[in-house]
Structure formats: C-alpha cells, structure tokens
C-alpha cells in the first residue's frame, strides 16, 4: 500500500476546518429558521467530514504553489473546500443513481432518509422520500461549493464551470454505458477520463494555477495537463481495480460493486477483448444486480485469466511514469514539483 505524502494531511486539516466552520454556520442559520432543515445540512457534514483522501484540494493547492502562490493564502483553502463540496454533491447523486447501500462503511444518504421515513411511518413511499432528500442535500452542497468560489478570478471561474460540465458529461456517459453493457475500450477510456480523472487531478491543478497567476494560463495549463491527464487516467483505473477486486474492509464499499452495476471500465473492456468463449460467458454475468459472491469470484478469476488485470497494472505504471516525466520539465516551482511526484506514486498505488 502506498503511503500518502505528509503534506496531504496538513492540507486536509486546513480544508476540513474551513468546511466545518461553513457547515456549522449554515446548520445554525437554517435550523433557527425551521428545525426540519437541521438534518439535511448536517448530512452534508456527515459525508464531507467523515473521511476522504482530500486529493482535489491537494492538487489545487500544489497547482497554486506551482504558479508561485503563497501556500498560506486563504483563497486556495476555500478552493479546496469547494472541491470537497462539489465531490460530495456528485457522491450524493451518484449513490442514488447506483442505488448504493453504503459508502465509507456507512449507510448512504438516501438509505438513511428512507429508513427515517419508514420508522416514522410517514405518508408516501420511503424510497422516493430518501432519494428526493439525497438529491436536495447534494444540490445544497453544490451551492455551498459555489459560495466558496465567490472571490475567484474570471479565469478560475471559467475552469470551475468547465470542470463541472465535464463531470456531468462523464456521468451521463457512464449511465448510458452501464445500461447498454458497453464494452468498447475507447468508450470506457473516455468515461474514465471525464467522470473522474480530469476533475480529480487536471482541473484542480488548472484552477490552483490560475488562482495564483491568471496571466500565465497559456504557459502553465498545457504543461500541467501533460501531468494531470495521464495521472488522472491512472487514478481512475486504480479505482476500477478496487471496484472489482477491492477489500470492503479497506474500501468501505461492497466487494464487486462495479461488477454488479456493469460499469463500462477499461478493465472490463480489456477482459472482453481477450476472453475465450468460456471466459466471455462468465464475463456476461457482469451487470446483474443479483450477482452472488460466487459469481463475483468467478468473474474476478476470468478477468485475471484473460490477462486484463496484468495489462491494466502495466498501463497504470506507464501513465504514472509519463506524468512524472512531464512534471519534471514543467515551468513550476521546485516545491510543487517534488510534491506532485510524491502524489503520483500515492494515487496510482493506493488501496482505498
């Protein structure tokens, strides 16, 4: 297991303190208006302060330092907190779309509110209530993220809006690909990049850089993309491996969750391309909601036997090396370069 760089915890602490202050103030404000509003705001805090790697704030921070920004500046802390709220928005909605029962070893928001509805014997359908509440809680997180970006310059706002469009585009392609059981490699790679890779690494770097030096946008952004795009792809590919093979005790998610959902991942595309007829028959089980543990184990073995897992691990390492080489020649500060090299190792070798 890769050890996170020491700087990651320091960045996380500042961002978490900002998030806690913002959400405490909002909970106090809205619960004073109506007590029924306390729990939805509290739910944002439960997710956003309940764990997470804080990678987006870290990449925004080092993008800011890379461009010459002062690491102690409050604006990059606010940007990091905005990224965490944006990510929470995506997770609230993603869990509804995937009908996920747990996240970080805890019940998901729509499940929690559905149980509340059932326990109180309220009118209507518990499932619809739970999903509706989760969507609205996600929408609140979305707005709070924008509020934290209020003091950003015009260049940063352009990137902020573009990354949000890209995130939604990736999510749309993911949903369509899942229901179609799409196993085309180019499609899976596109989803991999737009659903997660770009908004986890490349765009936070871009945002941090233009917050510090908007006049250097044309110089810095292409250089940072040479690092951020391959590393973002590798990051999501590592996620795909964990989604298919991860230990629930480490990942906090049910084993084989991505296999039951039929996610269109590069891993599945590679396995399908190389499968024998017998292996293809096993792989065809992917996407079934009733996939049992024995079926999951059979699919996992088929993925290994096709050589797809080994091939993907080789690609992850190659992409990581490309990213490290690119940041080595980028026109950025030495401090940021060293930290971005350490982060490249961490995000491609992590187990959760």
């Amino acid at each position: 297991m890769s050890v996170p760089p020491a700087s990651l915890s320091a960045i996380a602490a500042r961002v978490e303190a900002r998030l806690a202050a913002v959400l405490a103030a909002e909970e106090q404000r809205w619960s004073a208006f109506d007590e029924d509003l306390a729990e939805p705001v509290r739910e944002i805090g439960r997710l956003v302060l309940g764990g997470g790697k804080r990678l987006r704030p870290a990449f925004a921070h080092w993008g800011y330092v890379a461009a010459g920004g002062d690491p102690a500046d409050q604006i990059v802390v606010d940007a990091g907190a905005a990224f965490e709220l944006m990510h929470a928005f995506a997770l609230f909605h993603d869990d509804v779309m995937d009908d996920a029962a747990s996240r970080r070893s805890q019940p998901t928001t729509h499940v929690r509110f559905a149980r509340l509805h059932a326990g109180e014997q309220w009118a209507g359908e518990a499932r619809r209530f739970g999903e509706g509440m989760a969507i609205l809680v996600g929408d609140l997180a979305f707005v709070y993220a924008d509020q934290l970006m209020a003091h950003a310059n015009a260049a940063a706002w352009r990137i902020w809006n573009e990354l949000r469009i890209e995130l939604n585009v990736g999510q749309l392609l993911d949903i369509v690909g899942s229901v179609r059981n799409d196993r085309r490699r180019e499609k899976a790679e596109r989803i991999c990049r737009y659903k997660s890779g770009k908004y986890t690494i490349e765009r936070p770097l871009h945002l941090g850089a233009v917050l510090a030096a908007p006049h250097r946008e044309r110089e810095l952004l292409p250089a940072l993309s040479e690092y951020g795009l391959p590393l973002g792809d590798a990051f999501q590919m590592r996620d795909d491996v964990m989604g298919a093979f991860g230990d629930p005790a480490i990942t906090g998610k049910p084993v084989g969750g991505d296999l039951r959902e039929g996610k269109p991942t590069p891993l599945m595309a590679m396995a399908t391309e190389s499968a024998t007829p017998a292996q293809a028959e096993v792989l065809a089980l992917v996407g079934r909601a009733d996939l049992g543990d024995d079926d999951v184990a059979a699919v996992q073995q088929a993925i290994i036997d096709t050589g797809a897992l080994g091939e993907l691990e080789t690609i992850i390492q190659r992409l990581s090396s490309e990213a490290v080489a690119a940041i080595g020649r980028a026109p950025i500060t030495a401090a940021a370069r060293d930290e971005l090299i350490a982060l490249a190792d961490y995000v491609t070798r992590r187990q959760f």
Side-chain angles (χ1 to χ4, degrees), residues 201-219:
I201 298 176
E202 183 205 34
R203 290 307 196 182
L205 283 168
H206 285 178
L207 187 73
V210 299
L211 279 173
H215 60 285
R216 295 182 64 196
E217 182 175 0
R218 292 187 179 182
E219 173 195 14

Side-chain angles (χ1 to χ4, degrees), residues 324-352:
V324 169
I327 209 63
R329 57 179 179 264
I332 63 172
T333 64
R337 180 178 293 110
D338 291 345
E339 291 292 343
L340 290 172
I341 289 171
L343 279 168
D345 179 72
Y346 172 61
V347 303
T348 54
R349 295 175 58 194
R350 73 195 196 286
Q351 294 183 18
F352 65 96

Side-chain angles (χ1 to χ4, degrees), residues 12-259:
R14 294 179 68 201
V15 168
E16 287 165 11
R18 182 68 170 127
L19 287 167
V22 168
L23 293 173
E26 286 300 294
E27 183 184 339
Q28 183 178 15
R29 173 191 180 200
W30 289 110
S31 62
F33 175 70
D34 191 306
E35 62 182 12
D36 286 339
L37 296 174
E39 188 58 30
V41 177
R42 195 177 298 128
E43 187 66 10
I44 299 174
R46 187 182 74 88
L47 178 63
V48 80
L49 296 172
K53 295 174 288 294
R54 313 302 185 204
L55 290 175
R56 294 163 191 86
F59 283 110
H61 176 93
W62 293 117
Y64 191 76
V65 175
D70 183 347
D73 286 350
Q74 183 62 35
I75 194 168
V76 75
V77 177
D78 284 354
F83 268 113
E84 288 300 285
L85 286 165
M86 176 59 54
H87 186 51
F89 146 78
L91 295 181
F92 286 125
H93 288 196
D94 194 46
D95 287 341
V96 171
M97 289 183 279
D98 292 344
D99 196 23
S102 65
R103 178 171 294 280
R104 299 172 185 165
S105 302
Q106 297 293 322
T108 49
T109 296
H110 65 279
V111 169
R112 284 171 58 87
F113 280 108
R115 289 175 179 172
L116 173 64
H117 181 288
E120 296 292 335
Q121 298 184 323
W122 288 336
E125 187 180 351
R127 179 188 64 83
R128 287 178 63 85
F129 173 77
E131 292 177 352
M133 290 295 288
I135 290 168
L136 289 168
V137 167
D139 292 344
L140 272 177
F142 187 92
V143 176
Y144 290 146
D146 265 9
Q147 288 183 338
L148 282 161
M149 288 292 295
H151 300 295
N153 59 44
W157 269 104
R158 284 196 303 272
I159 291 170
W160 179 248
N161 287 323
E162 188 67 11
L163 75 89
R164 295 189 296 177
I165 293 170
E166 291 168 349
L167 170 59
N168 282 282
V169 164
Q171 191 77 309
L172 285 164
L173 291 174
D174 185 52
I175 289 176
V176 174
S178 294
V179 298
R180 289 178 176 169
N181 207 20
D182 200 322
R183 293 291 173 258
R184 289 175 292 169
R185 188 161 172 172
E186 69 276 10
K187 193 82 164 185
E189 289 173 348
R190 185 176 302 143
I191 293 167
C192 173
R193 174 166 288 188
Y194 277 81
K195 183 185 176 185
S196 181
K198 282 175 73 70
Y199 111 101
T200 298
I201 298 176
E202 183 205 34
R203 290 307 196 182
L205 283 168
H206 285 178
L207 187 73
V210 299
L211 279 173
H215 60 285
R216 295 182 64 196
E217 182 175 0
R218 292 187 179 182
E219 173 195 14
L220 288 171
L221 266 55
L224 292 172
S225 289
E226 287 186 13
Y227 166 91
L229 287 175
L231 189 61
D233 291 346
F235 165 83
Q236 183 54 40
M237 288 175 184
R238 175 58 63 210
D239 253 18
D240 294 341
V241 172
M242 292 188 294
F245 291 91
D247 181 349
I250 298 175
T251 65
K253 301 177 184 179
V255 65
D258 283 3
L259 301 178

